[in-house]
Amino acid sequence: MRLSESSPTTGTSSADYADDYYATYRGHEDYDWDTDHWREFFLSAAGRIKALTNAQTSLDVGCAKGLLVQALVSVGVDARGVDVSEHAVAKAHADVRDRLRVGSATEPIDGRYDLITCVEVLEHLLPSDAQLAIDRMCAATDLILFTSTPGHFEDPTHINVRPTAEWVTSFAERGFFRRTDANLEFLAPWAVLVQKAPPDAQPTARDLVHRYESQYATLHVEVMEKRNALLESHREIARLHVDGADTAEVRRLRERLATLEQEAQQLKDAQVTAEHEVLTTRDHIIGLEAKAEEAARLLVVFKERLNQQREKAAELQRRIRVQRRRAEESERRAEALLASRTWRAGRLLTRPFRRGR
């Protein structure tokens, strides 16, 4: 089979699940056991899972920091976990860290377990790796609790998002069928419990049709009743609108509508004001940029002039130093002349002539 150009060709790796990934996991800060939200969520889920499966041993494939493992241990299950993220395992709570190991969901699983859980994991794997992971889990247990989001595409690590029906079909190909008597909505609306039937008790087509039809019929009746109720509500609203009944409820709805329209107008006015401010700010920024360019040009001119003045000052200082050296040399010569014997003798010889004058 030829891969399409849009199919992923590389899977995610351990580095994709570091601090940034768990920092605000699903809108809740600090994805760890010490966060009240997550601890209460997993303790509640573990109690339901224990009551539903009566598992004594379990393995959580894709355990992350081991929160489900820790919760299952607290309700008496000998639980273990494996995850590809070295960061997640290293950051696990001290009470559960020795029950976790770093590994891939595609690796063979040592031993057998009463229950294997795989919660929001396979959407992170390449399709071929996901199928291999299903093989590994099915070889190590007869009961699998499985969830994989059918529609969360925003997470960049979700490279294999599929409808729940496709996952359930993959398990059915391996002899694992949905337990329609098990409601796992406490984990996720799309969570399923699949179980392997003994070789001598494989479900017949009639058994499977009965299981799914029983669940479908209940849901179908619920949907039809809600549709009828919605239709009656719509008709009642239309009747009130046509009759123009001035009931308290209608008045309340009209007042609410007027309030919403007023708020909508205020939002429009605020938008117009904001757009005007943005345009004004943009014009101001353009003016400032022009002034900044002119200032930069003047700064270049000023620097050139300053450099010229510095060169002239340096030349002037050089000339002053030369004149000083010459003056100093003249002073030294004069002093030497005054101190010399020739000068004193000349002075003596010229005195008579000076007196005769």
Side-chain angles (χ1 to χ4, degrees):
M1 181 178 68
R2 180 177 176 273
L3 290 174
S4 67
E5 293 182 357
S6 60
S7 299
T9 56
T10 59
T12 60
S13 66
S14 176
D16 295 316
Y17 307 100
D19 269 332
D20 291 343
Y21 181 79
Y22 292 103
T24 54
Y25 186 67
R26 295 198 177 178
H28 296 274
E29 294 183 357
D30 299 329
Y31 180 74
D32 56 44
W33 186 255
D34 293 326
T35 300
D36 292 341
H37 168 83
W38 290 116
R39 184 175 62 255
E40 293 170 3
F41 172 81
F42 281 106
L43 283 173
S44 175
R48 299 286 297 278
I49 293 171
K50 172 68 174 178
L52 187 63
T53 65
N54 196 32
Q56 302 301 309
T57 61
S58 72
L59 175 68
D60 189 19
V61 175
C63 63
K65 296 182 179 181
L67 274 64
L68 179 57
V69 174
Q70 192 164 356
L72 287 170
V73 170
S74 71
V75 296
V77 180
D78 183 11
R80 306 284 169 174
V82 58
D83 195 275
V84 72
S85 172
E86 297 177 2
H87 168 84
V89 173
K91 292 292 185 178
H93 194 279
D95 293 345
V96 76
R97 193 174 299 132
D98 61 346
R99 291 179 173 271
L100 312 180
R101 69 177 180 85
V102 177
S104 170
T106 61
E107 297 173 357
I109 298 173
D110 293 333
R112 289 189 62 80
Y113 295 87
D114 296 337
L115 171 69
I116 287 181
T117 56
C118 184
V119 179
E120 306 300 318
V121 176
L122 297 195
E123 67 271 17
H124 299 271
L125 275 61
L126 289 173
S128 58
D129 288 340
Q131 293 300 315
L132 180 57
I134 293 175
D135 287 335
R136 302 305 192 193
M137 291 187 286
C138 290
T141 188
D142 291 335
L143 190 62
I144 299 174
L145 188 157
F146 176 82
T147 81
S148 179
T149 176
H152 186 207
F153 300 98
E154 292 82 1
D155 189 329
T157 65
H158 286 184
I159 60 175
N160 189 27
V161 175
R162 298 183 182 276
T164 302
E166 288 194 23
W167 296 118
V168 175
T169 301
S170 294
F171 283 107
E173 293 170 353
R174 295 159 173 85
F176 283 72
F177 300 95
R178 178 199 279 262
R179 284 267 303 271
T180 56
D181 63 317
N183 186 337
L184 300 176
E185 290 184 359
F186 60 87
L187 272 179
W190 48 84
V192 298
L193 185 66
V194 294
Q195 188 168 20
K196 183 178 182 179
D200 57 347
Q202 287 292 316
T204 64
R206 180 189 179 281
D207 294 332
L208 294 176
V209 170
H210 182 268
R211 291 181 189 178
Y212 282 91
E213 188 62 28
S214 297
Q215 190 174 52
Y216 168 78
T218 302
L219 294 175
H220 181 68
V221 169
E222 180 182 353
V223 170
M224 291 305 298
E225 290 180 351
K226 288 182 176 179
R227 284 180 177 175
N228 289 332
L230 180 62
L231 179 59
E232 287 300 320
S233 298
H234 177 74
R235 287 172 176 171
E236 181 65 16
I237 292 172
R239 185 187 65 78
L240 291 173
H241 179 72
V242 171
D243 293 346
D246 195 18
T247 63
E249 181 65 15
V250 172
R251 288 196 302 271
R252 186 186 69 80
L253 291 175
R254 286 175 176 171
E255 291 172 356
R256 178 58 179 162
L257 178 59
T259 301
L260 291 175
E261 290 176 345
Q262 183 180 2
E263 292 176 353
Q265 186 59 45
Q266 291 174 351
L267 288 174
K268 289 181 180 179
D269 294 341
Q271 182 181 3
V272 171
T273 301
E275 290 175 351
H276 175 71
E277 291 179 352
V278 168
L279 292 174
T280 302
T281 303
R282 186 180 64 181
D283 293 340
H284 183 60
I285 290 173
I286 292 173
L288 290 177
E289 289 177 346
K291 291 181 179 179
E293 291 177 357
E294 178 63 18
R297 187 187 65 78
L298 293 176
L299 180 60
V300 171
V301 173
F302 174 76
K303 286 183 177 179
E304 291 177 353
R305 292 179 179 177
L306 181 60
N307 289 333
Q308 292 174 357
Q309 293 298 325
R310 284 176 176 172
E311 291 175 357
K312 290 180 180 179
E315 177 62 21
L316 182 59
Q317 289 177 351
R318 186 187 66 78
R319 292 179 179 179
I320 291 173
R321 286 195 296 271
V322 170
Q323 293 297 328
R324 284 180 177 174
R325 284 196 298 270
R326 289 177 179 176
E328 291 172 355
E329 180 64 25
S330 297
E331 289 180 358
R332 282 195 299 272
R333 289 178 179 176
E335 290 176 355
L337 179 60
L338 291 174
S340 65
R341 294 180 179 178
T342 305
W343 186 80
R344 287 197 299 271
R347 290 279 295 178
L348 293 173
L349 292 173
T350 56
R351 280 182 184 174
F353 297 100
R354 288 179 184 173
R355 291 176 184 171
R357 266 197 247 174

